[in-house]
Structures are given as C-alpha cells and as structure tokens.
Amino acid sequence: MAGILPLRNLAIRASDGPAFVAGLVIAVPVAATLVAGLIFGGGDAWIHIRDTLLTGYVLGTVGTLALTAVLMLALAVPTAWLITMYRFPGRGLFEWLLILPLAAPGYVLAYAYGDLMGVGGPVQSAIREATGLSARDFWFPDIHSLPGLAFILALTLYPYVYLTARAAFISQSVCSLEAARSLGASASRSFWRVALPAARPVIAAGLALALMEAAADYGAAEYLGVPTLTFGIVRAWTSFGEPATAARLALVLLSLVLSLVLFERWSRGRRGSQASSNRWRQVDRLPLSRPLATTATTLCTTLFTVAFGLPVGRLIWRSLESNEAVAPVGQALINTLILSGTGAALAFVLALVIALSQRAAGPLPRFARLAASSGYAIPGAVLAMGALVVLGLLPFTLTGASALIALAWVYASRFTAAGAEPMVAALARAPASLGQAAGSLGASPLRRAREVDLPIALSGATAGALILFVESLKELPATLMLRPFNWDTLSVRAHAYASDERLAAAALPALLITLAGLVPVIFLSWRLSRARPGAPT
C-alpha cells in the first residue's frame, strides 16, 4: 500500500498538466505584451505619443470610467432595490427586461444614439421644426463627447451592477431589515443605513467588472471621437504601423485594468459575514402606494426604453427606410459564425479543462483559473498585441488561416473565464461524496474526471457556451487588429459603415449582433426569474 500511494500522488500531479497548458495558452498574450512594451516600446513613436497624446488618452479613459461609474450606480442600484423589495405594476416584467441591454455592445448603442441625437437626426430636426430655430440658435447635448461616451457605456453596462445589486439585496438578512423597521426607521433610512452598507462590497465588485468592460471599449470611443487608451492602442497599430508603441500603450492600460482587478478582489474580501442560515427567510415584497408605484413603473419603463427600446427601435427603422441597409452582409455573417464558433470552441475546451482541474488543490489548477480570470479582465486590444508579438517570432506571415487561428486564440484568452466559472460552480454544488466513492472503488483520476466530474461540469456548460459565442461575436478591437485583409465580420462591417457615416447600412449588421446577444441574455433572465429570494442556489 505504501508503494501505491506515491504512484497515485504522481498521477494526480500529472493530471494537472492539461490545466497548466490551458493556463499557459491564456497567459502568454499578456506576458508577451509586457515583454514587448518594456523592452521594445520606447522608440521615437512612443516619445511622440508620450509627449503629445498620452495625457489625453489617460484623462479620456479615467474621466470616462469615473462618469460611467456614477451613471451606472444611479441607474442600477435604485431599480435593483425596487425590483427586490417592492410590488408595483410590471415588476415581474421589468425583472428581466432591465437585463436586455447586455445584448447590445456599446458601439451599437453609439451608432443608434449618434443618429438619433445628431444635427440631422429626428430629435434636433423636430426641435427646429417646432421652434423655427436653426441648429446654431439653441444648445443641445453633444453625444460625440466624453459625457456622451459615458452615457452610452452606462446604458449598455449597468446590468452588471443591477445583477450584483439584486443578488446582494436578495441575500441580506430579512431580520436586520425588520429590526430597522421595528425601531421606526423609514424605508429610505433602512435602505441608506442598513441595506446599502451591507451590499456595498458586492455592488463594488459588479461595478469593477463593468468598468473593466468600459476600459476595453474601442468601437463606441472611436465613433464618438473620445481619445482613450484602447483607441490609442488600435490607432498606433492600424494607422501608424507601430506595434511596439502600441504594446507600450497597452502597459499603461494594463496598469489601469490591474487597479480595477485589485479593487474587485479587495471588495470581495470585505463582503462581510452574512451567509445562509435557517434564521433567514424569503424577502416579503411590500406594496407601494399608488403614487410611488406609478413612479417606480415609470422609472423602470424609462430606463428600459432609453437603454434598449429606443436605440434598437431606431436601428430597425433605419434598416427598413433605406435600400442601403441591404448592403451585402451575407459573407460577413458567415465569417462571423466561423470565427466566433472557432474561438468559442477553443475557449470551451480550455474552460472545461480548467473546471475539471479544480478538484485538485494544487498550484497548477490555481494558476490556470487565475490566468483565465486575468485574461477576462484584459482588453482585447492588449491581448491582440501579445498575440502579434508571439506570432511575429514565428517564421511565417500572419495571413489567411494563421490570422484566424490567432484571433481564435485571442478570443479564448479573453473569454475562457466566462465559460469556466459556470462549470466550476456546478462542480462546487455536487456532493464531495461522489468523488470519494469513485476513489474508494479504485477509479483513476482520469476515469473519475471522465465519468463523474465531466457530466456534472457539463450541466453548467449551456450558459457558458452561449456567453462564449456571443462575447466572441461582439469583440471588435482584436478583430480589427488581427483579421486577414478583406475578411470582415459583422462587427467590423458595422464599424466600417458607421465610420463612413452610412448608418443605414450599419444598422443591419448591428441588429444581427444584438439579436445573437439576446439569446444568452434571455436565457439568463429566465434563470433569474425562476430563482426565489432567499432560496439556495
């Protein structure tokens, strides 16, 4: 027996090999960007950008993130509190409708609102017709500005904060809220003094995740003309042909994103000690008076209309009113399906390997999961730079199939965590006795993974697979940087049309992207609507 145990431990360590390879595949682009930026990114082009443009890029990014954070909190937290704690007309419908803006990437909303609020758009045209004034005779907010970009990003990303805020409010102890009410605290005082402080760490974690996505944005910032670090990275590569300079800029963005990651980890560590117990009960939603119920319904209706209904409706209208909207997108659709399917498949395999490895409490599985989480926090433009650095060392030109493989690699590095986490959660909910029983029957680690862990992990894979596909479909900066010549996807085609001010032509590919994104978002909404407050997950 003593001679068998070392062999079994050796087998367990050998089984960590796939997890290490998966983590390495994900981590290499980030490491390559760090090396290239530190060693090769200090030439004349970098000096020029540092002295003339870098301050604007940093201020544009930080200013956008700060204003976006304020707007997301103002939109998401009050609606999450109303949906969780009160009854009012339409509450059950808004519970899932308010998540739908996740389906539309920021650049799609930017195209729609740029058309709606532009000088020649319907809003300003209606004002001129009603007042008889010219465009120069009245002030109108400019969507092509930093506040305009923050407004767009807040609309498309606030569901991250909304979902985490709802989860925090649902999981709070009903006893603490009832105690506050019994002491004479009003509803508003209970919110500000009891509920919000307890939920703050979880809300902060959701806010950090949303801000990571905002920092990674390129399409909306480029279209609205706001200089950000991601905009500078893509421009340094595509316009100036300076990959080393782009890598140095990527280091600046990477440091900013890292600060958001550290903030998220810090907030997660401060979550407090509230955990499920038999003293906790399901939240009893309170009815609102008629005026307050009308106000709550109006608030939720306005948010959904502004964040989703209005921009999507405008794109549908533009695609129907002009023959230009039938510009050929068939090949772009096929290219998108091929590329997104390949990237999602590779990410799914890596996610499955990482999830199955989490049963072993060794350093290699932890490294793989950390690499996946880090990759998800890194913008696509940064990962694209890392892939370019690595592939530039190989003895072939990045064209055709090799460029598509590089893109699939970047997609997998960026989005594997989105597929791995649902599988890890499914495995965590499974009884530990299953694995112990398999071990007591003499099953090898490989057989246990194949016959016990794999079926359990796949039970949580449906949502992960959908998210992987749609996230790959929406990715824009990495696709612009690495795609083969004349090989357009829907996101690239929509971006090209919008950049040429052909918004009617951009409407159709933008709508197709949004339609594809609705599938996993509706699935997520359905799962959330079936959940019960206070019930175990």
Side-chain angles (χ1 to χ4, degrees):
M1 186 70 178
I4 295 176
L5 285 177
L7 293 177
R8 181 167 295 180
N9 291 336
L10 180 61
I12 292 174
R13 288 195 298 270
S15 68
D16 293 344
F20 174 72
V21 172
L24 201 62
V25 168
I26 296 169
V28 161
V30 179
T33 302
L34 291 173
V35 173
L38 291 172
I39 298 177
F40 303 109
D44 293 338
W46 164 251
I47 295 175
H48 169 72
I49 289 178
R50 182 196 64 193
D51 295 340
T52 61
L53 299 173
L54 182 59
T55 301
Y57 289 155
V58 173
L59 292 178
T61 302
V62 173
T64 298
L65 294 182
L67 187 53
T68 300
V70 172
L71 292 175
M72 284 191 295
L73 290 173
L75 294 174
V77 176
T79 51
W81 177 250
L82 289 172
I83 292 291
T84 304
M85 302 302 299
Y86 297 100
R87 297 198 304 268
F88 56 90
R91 192 212 68 83
L93 188 63
F94 291 122
E95 187 175 13
W96 65 272
L97 282 180
L98 293 180
I99 309 174
L100 294 188
L102 277 179
Y107 53 84
V108 169
L109 265 67
Y111 304 157
Y113 271 103
D115 183 47
L116 274 169
M117 301 179 67
V119 175
V123 177
Q124 292 201 50
S125 296
I127 294 175
R128 291 195 298 270
E129 292 177 3
T131 62
L133 300 174
S134 68
R136 297 182 179 180
D137 294 333
F138 62 92
W139 177 85
F140 192 82
D142 184 11
I143 194 68
H144 294 269
S145 62
L146 189 151
L149 176 60
F151 170 74
I152 294 297
L153 294 178
L155 291 182
T156 191
L157 296 174
Y158 84 84
Y160 285 106
V161 186
Y162 166 79
L163 289 172
T164 53
R166 273 197 61 204
F169 293 144
I170 286 173
S171 63
Q172 285 180 6
S173 173
V174 178
C175 300
S176 61
L177 296 175
E178 290 181 345
R181 291 170 188 160
S182 67
L183 293 173
S186 63
S188 61
R189 186 174 178 86
S190 297
F191 170 75
W192 288 107
R193 299 295 298 272
V194 179
L196 188 59
R200 188 181 294 121
V202 184
I203 294 174
L207 179 64
L209 179 61
L211 291 179
M212 291 176 202
E213 293 289 340
D217 172 79
Y218 167 75
E222 194 274 341
Y223 178 72
L224 298 178
V226 179
T228 62
L229 286 167
T230 304
F231 171 80
I233 292 169
V234 178
R235 186 181 181 190
W237 166 246
T238 59
S239 299
F240 299 143
E242 290 286 347
T245 302
R248 181 63 66 91
L249 274 174
L251 290 183
V252 182
L253 180 58
L254 200 59
S255 63
L256 180 61
V257 172
L258 180 60
S259 66
L260 291 173
V261 173
L262 294 176
F263 171 72
E264 191 274 337
R265 295 289 187 268
W266 173 80
S267 65
R268 182 183 300 179
R270 292 174 57 87
R271 276 188 181 180
S273 58
Q274 294 193 31
S276 59
S277 74
N278 55 12
R279 295 185 59 192
W280 289 27
R281 305 192 309 274
Q282 177 174 319
V283 175
D284 294 324
R285 297 189 180 94
L286 302 176
L288 290 174
S289 63
R290 185 180 296 272
L292 291 178
T294 301
T295 301
T297 301
T298 302
L299 175 64
C300 294
T301 302
T302 302
L303 178 56
F304 172 74
T305 301
V306 173
F308 190 80
L310 192 60
V312 172
R314 181 58 182 173
L315 290 175
I316 293 174
W317 177 268
R318 288 288 274 167
S319 66
L320 294 176
E321 73 173 353
S322 173
N323 291 329
E324 187 184 14
V326 299
V329 295
Q331 188 58 50
L333 176 60
I334 294 173
N335 293 345
T336 300
L337 294 176
I338 293 173
L339 185 56
S340 300
T342 303
L346 177 57
F348 185 84
V349 172
L350 295 176
L352 187 60
V353 170
I354 291 172
L356 293 178
S357 71
Q358 298 308 302
R359 289 289 196 185
L364 297 184
R366 287 198 296 269
F367 160 74
R369 191 174 181 186
L370 177 62
S373 299
S374 302
Y376 189 72
I378 303 301
V382 175
L383 297 175
M385 284 307 312
L388 283 170
V389 171
V390 174
L391 295 173
L393 301 176
L394 302 179
F396 58 79
T397 304
L398 190 65
T399 57
S402 60
L404 298 182
I405 293 173
L407 266 174
W409 178 24
V410 169
Y411 289 172
S413 182
R414 175 86 166 86
F415 303 121
T416 292
E421 292 306 319
M423 300 184 204
V424 171
L427 286 169
R429 289 193 297 267
S433 58
L434 290 178
Q436 295 169 357
S440 66
L441 293 174
S444 65
L446 181 60
R447 184 177 180 183
R448 171 187 163 178
R450 184 179 67 250
E451 298 184 6
V452 178
D453 294 341
L454 181 60
I456 297 173
L458 290 178
S459 68
T462 303
L466 287 171
I467 293 172
L468 287 173
F469 178 78
V470 174
E471 290 289 354
S472 299
L473 183 146
K474 294 192 297 184
E475 175 61 35
L476 177 61
T479 309
L480 283 173
M481 296 172 69
L482 295 178
R483 67 187 174 93
F485 181 70
N486 282 337
W487 207 89
D488 292 343
T489 62
L490 288 174
S491 60
V492 171
R493 186 65 61 87
H495 173 263
Y497 287 146
S499 299
D500 294 337
E501 297 298 329
R502 299 170 60 190
L503 288 173
L508 182 57
L511 282 172
L512 290 174
I513 294 171
T514 304
L515 180 62
L518 280 175
V519 176
V521 171
I522 290 176
F523 177 80
L524 174 62
S525 301
W526 174 76
R527 292 288 297 271
L528 288 174
S529 66
R530 289 171 60 88
R532 293 292 180 265
T537 56

